[in-house]
Structures are given as structure tokens and as C-alpha cells.
Amino acid sequence: MEVETPHYSVIFDDLDKRIVHALVVDARIPFAKLGEILGVSEQTVARRYRSLRVRGIVHLSGQVNVVPLGHARWIMRIRSTPDAALRLGESLARIPDLSWVSLLSTGSEVMCVSRARSAQRRDALLLQLIPRAPHVTGLLAYEVLHNFPLDEEWPRYSRLFDADQLRELGPRRPVQDRAVHELPIALSLEDEAMLAVLGRDARAPYAQLAAATGWSPPRAARRMSELIDAGVLYFDLDFALERMGFAVRAALWMRTRPADLAAVGAILATHPEVTYVAATTGPTNLTAALVCRDTSHLYRYLTERLGALEGITDVEVTPALRVFKQAQTLLDADRINPVP
């Protein structure tokens, strides 16, 4: 007989972790199907998911990949006077085109990712809004040339499933960038309306998507699948890492020999601590995001795992002092001020 604990404000147990993994694989998996895979009721899965959301442990959103739309992703390191860095990070977090906004350990530098949906919006960010913001003293912009797909998406909980369960769950659909010979994809007003709803809630029901677009629910479902297949739409989970036992986030800025870039990036994508790795333009040519349990864990990773790799000629490590925004979720939202 299934037993469910009604109140577990701080528990993040194996059932929660398995639900999280399933959502990483398939963000819109029906809870009835997931319950069958996990051996619990649909109501239990729904209750656990609601609890994870209410407690702020996970937030699931639909994200737009700008590359199939004909635009580039940019990683920016923005320098400011130390007294203004905190306010700068809070302000940048309010800009819809920016995600992963963090105050770096230098104390006077904010990192963020730009996914501007047009050349005009890109130029407005890179050439006007950010450089002209009060107390900004410098800007480094790295264009993302290639994402190295992780061997398993973080937090890598597949070990909690047996082989039959993994087979029933199926593989995660990778985020695909368009081939260079293909024409950019154009989005309609209805597409934009649907993407806006999914940006707030990746599991929004098809009836809600239909109401926002004026389509029928089956047509909304078909168009969603088309956008996913085209690489335009993907689903992302924001995590409250500290509540999951991870206290340290850091970025690595690495320089490799050109001949070693692809091999080093592919190896990094297999490391459990790595949540993102990409080849970029700029003064370094490879960047990675890390999640570690504490500073000792970070030290062991740098000296033992990263240090064993050949081909890396230089590395800079910048832990995050504060994270203002993840893919979609604003952190400490009540403290965030408007854009200056």
C-alpha cells in the first residue's frame, strides 16, 4: 500500500529526484504515465510536483533557442565599479532577453547570457543599454559557437531508475541548432503567444495554449511538436541548488589549443559537476558552468579531474557570489530593481 507523507517542507527524497529526472527527460510527461513508471499514483506525482514548485525547488519553463531563428547566443562579462555591481546584476535580471545573471567572485563583474530575438535587440543590448548603464566600465562578449551536449542532463538522477523504467521513460530529446545551410525559421504571432505561455509554465495544458493562440488544442499540440523538432522550443528546469545540497556555482573560462578544443569540450560534457559547456569566441575559447557541493569539492574537481586533461593551456575560475536569475526564475525577486 502506498504511503504518502503529507508535510515534508525540507525533504528532497528519491521520489522527488526521480520526478525531477523524468521532467528533465520529458517536461510534459503525463503524470499518469510517470506514476505507472515509478509505481505510485498519478495523484502522488502531481502532489509531489506541486510541492517542489511551491517550495521553489524547481521551476519548469519553455525556452526559445534563438539559433534556428538566425541569431547567436552571447555570454557577457560586464565590469562595473564595485559599489554598483550588485544593483547592475539586479537590473540586468529584469531584461527578458537575458538569463543566467550572476555576480562573479571578483565582486565587480556580472555574467549573463543574451538570447536576443532580433539583430536590433542584440545591438541595443551590446552597444547601447549595457555599455551606457551607470558605472559600467567594460564589456566582454563571447559568441557561442558550439554547445557540447551533456552525456546526461544535470542533476543526473538516472541511476535511481532501473533499465525497464529508463526504457519506458525514453531518451531526452536533445536541443538541436539548425544546420548552416537552412533558412532561419519565422515565428507567427500565434507562435509567439504560445511561447509566452510556455515561458511561464512549460506544463500549461493544451486548452490554455489554444485559448492564447486561437487554435484548437490538437493544432496547438502539433505546432508545439513542430517547434521542438525544429530546435526552436526546448524545456529547461531551474533549481534551488542550495536546497538540493549544492552550495557552489562557478564558471570556467579556458583556453585550449585549437586542435584540442572539440576533444576537451566533449570530455567536460561527461563530468558530473558540469551543467553546461560551449566553445566560444573571445579571449578564451571554451567555457563551462559547474555545480559543486562546497569549495572542497570545487578544489578536488579543479586539481584532479580538470587538471588531468591535456590540451588546456589556461583556465580562470570565477565562482558566483550571487545568482539573480537562472533560465527563467528570478532569485530574491523582491530585491530586484528596475533597469536603470
Side-chain angles (χ1 to χ4, degrees), residues 77 104-106 109 248-254 288 290 292 298-299 301-303 306 314-320:
R77 298 178 66 173
L104 300 183
S105 58
T106 58
E109 192 173 14
V248 174
R249 310 182 197 217
L252 301 181
W253 313 89
M254 295 160 283
L290 301 179
C292 297
L298 175 61
Y299 175 77
Y301 175 79
L302 295 173
T303 56
L306 189 70
D314 191 27
V315 61
E316 179 187 5
V317 185
T318 55

Side-chain angles (χ1 to χ4, degrees), residues 64 69 117 185-200 205-217 219-227 232-233:
V64 175
L69 302 178
R117 303 270 293 277
I185 295 169
L187 296 178
S188 67
L189 293 177
E190 292 83 1
D191 291 331
E192 295 285 5
M194 180 168 65
L195 292 170
V197 174
L198 293 171
R200 295 187 292 271
Y206 291 118
Q208 183 179 350
L209 301 179
T213 59
W215 294 332
S216 66
R219 184 179 178 188
R222 286 195 303 271
R223 185 53 176 164
M224 178 192 295
S225 295
E226 291 170 358
L227 292 176
V232 173
L233 172 64

Side-chain angles (χ1 to χ4, degrees), residues 8 10-26 29 34 37-38 40 44-45 48-49 51-52 55 57-58 152-161 165-166 169 237 239-246 293:
Y8 49 101
V10 296
I11 296 174
F12 186 66
D13 62 15
D14 280 355
L15 179 55
D16 292 327
K17 293 175 182 178
R18 289 188 289 167
I19 291 172
V20 164
H21 178 77
L23 293 172
V24 168
V25 173
D26 181 359
I29 184 172
L34 181 53
I37 294 173
L38 299 179
V40 299
T44 292
V45 174
R48 288 294 186 109
Y49 173 67
S51 177
L52 290 171
R55 289 183 286 157
I57 293 177
V58 299
E152 180 183 340
E153 288 296 315
W154 199 88
R156 292 181 167 90
Y157 288 148
S158 65
R159 67 185 186 279
L160 300 175
F161 292 74
Q165 290 174 321
L166 289 175
L169 195 58
L237 267 79
F239 296 100
L241 296 179
E242 293 78 9
R243 300 185 191 181
M244 298 168 64
F246 297 91
R293 294 197 175 277

Side-chain angles (χ1 to χ4, degrees), residues 250-327:
L252 301 181
W253 313 89
M254 295 160 283
R255 184 187 297 278
T256 73
R257 294 184 292 267
D260 297 319
L261 178 59
V264 173
I267 292 172
L268 286 173
T270 68
H271 291 178
E273 295 85 354
V274 172
T275 63
Y276 176 80
V277 58
T280 70
T281 62
T284 57
N285 60 1
L286 187 66
T287 187
L290 301 179
V291 172
C292 297
R293 294 197 175 277
D294 50 34
T295 53
S296 295
H297 183 186
L298 175 61
Y299 175 77
R300 291 194 304 274
Y301 175 79
L302 295 173
T303 56
E304 298 171 10
R305 192 179 289 269
L306 189 70
L309 294 182
E310 296 184 0
I312 299 176
T313 60
D314 191 27
V315 61
E316 179 187 5
V317 185
T318 55
L321 290 181
R322 181 170 298 179
V323 178
F324 303 101
K325 184 181 183 182
Q326 300 185 83

Side-chain angles (χ1 to χ4, degrees), residues 80-87 103 106-109 135:
S80 74
T81 56
D83 62 309
L86 184 63
R87 176 172 171 77
L103 177 65
T106 58
S108 59
E109 192 173 14
H135 307 291

Side-chain angles (χ1 to χ4, degrees), residues 67-126:
V67 176
L69 302 178
H71 306 292
R73 291 179 293 264
W74 296 83
I75 301 173
M76 294 184 286
R77 298 178 66 173
I78 306 160
R79 295 187 299 275
S80 74
T81 56
D83 62 309
L86 184 63
R87 176 172 171 77
L88 175 64
E90 293 172 337
S91 300
L92 292 174
R94 282 295 191 192
I95 299 176
D97 290 330
L98 299 181
S99 59
W100 302 106
V101 183
S102 304
L103 177 65
L104 300 183
S105 58
T106 58
S108 59
E109 192 173 14
V110 175
M111 183 189 78
C112 59
V113 176
S114 168
R115 295 181 294 197
R117 303 270 293 277
S118 69
Q120 291 79 10
R121 289 162 74 170
R122 176 203 64 198
D123 291 347
L125 281 172
L126 295 180

